[in-house]
Each structure stands twice: as structure tokens, then as C-alpha cells.
Amino acid sequence: LILFQKGQTTTPPPFEIFFCFGEEWPDQKPKEKKLITVQVVPVAARLLLEMFSGELSWSADSIPLQISHPDLKDKMVEQFKELHQLWQNQQRLPPAQPEPG
């Protein structure tokens, strides 16, 4: 994620987790052909990637179905908003000048 944020790689890091139930995997079949697959996307990882790629959307509609305690999600979103604001402010600051000594 840090390399992506610094522009040292053009490919964002993968953060999705896939589970396959009832069949061997990996095998020759693509995951789309499996009977039961589950994709898990950690909200924190997705928000960090969106923040660093400039695609951040804080709309509550942008967070898809998830199973978690609502208060925890709300608190985490607020913390990421604060982190994003700090990051934006830091990006706007001119480079630090050495103090005359």
C-alpha cells in the first residue's frame, strides 16, 4: 500500500479474501465456476486504498453488506475520516524549512 501511495507501483495491493466451500480449490476451474464462493473485503483495507488512490467516498452507501457491530463501523469510519483529513492537511503543507541557527 505504501509503494502504491508513493507511485512506486501502478498495481494496488490485493485485499480481497476468497473462500470456496464444498469443492477443492485452487484447481483448473475459475472461482466464478465454483458452486459456493465467498468474497470478504476488509472495510479498513478498502478505505485505506481508496484514501491513497484518491477515490475515497465516505457515503454510507459505499460500504456494501457486512456483518459487524454498527457502532464499531461508525467509529472506524469516523477515525478514517480524521486520518484522511490529517493526510490531506499534510499534503497541503509546504516542505519544512530548517530553522536558522
Side-chain angles (χ1 to χ4, degrees), residues 10-12 18 22 26 28-29 31 41 56 71 78 91 93 96 100:
T10 56
T11 308
F18 291 93
Q28 306 302 341
K29 291 169 45 176
K31 65 180 174 280
V41 179
L56 188 61
D71 294 337
E78 288 302 317
Q91 297 299 313
L93 292 176

Side-chain angles (χ1 to χ4, degrees), residues 58 75 77-87:
W58 289 110
K75 187 180 291 187
V77 169
E78 288 302 317
Q79 289 172 343
F80 277 118
K81 284 181 185 179
E82 290 176 28
L83 179 62
H84 184 253
Q85 186 64 43
L86 289 171
W87 182 74

Side-chain angles (χ1 to χ4, degrees), residues 33-95:
K33 298 288 184 179
K34 294 296 184 178
L35 292 175
I36 302 171
T37 57
V38 176
Q39 177 185 14
V40 177
V41 179
V43 175
R46 195 190 83 215
L47 290 176
L48 283 171
L49 179 62
E50 288 178 0
M51 180 176 71
F52 288 132
S53 65
E55 300 173 7
L56 188 61
S57 170
W58 289 110
S59 165
D61 297 334
S62 71
I63 299 176
L65 175 66
Q66 57 189 353
I67 300 173
S68 62
H69 192 275
D71 294 337
L72 179 61
K73 178 194 67 133
D74 294 341
K75 187 180 291 187
M76 186 170 55
V77 169
E78 288 302 317
Q79 289 172 343
F80 277 118
K81 284 181 185 179
E82 290 176 28
L83 179 62
H84 184 253
Q85 186 64 43
L86 289 171
W87 182 74
Q88 282 184 325
N89 292 341
Q90 184 180 17
Q91 297 299 313
R92 291 186 196 120
L93 292 176

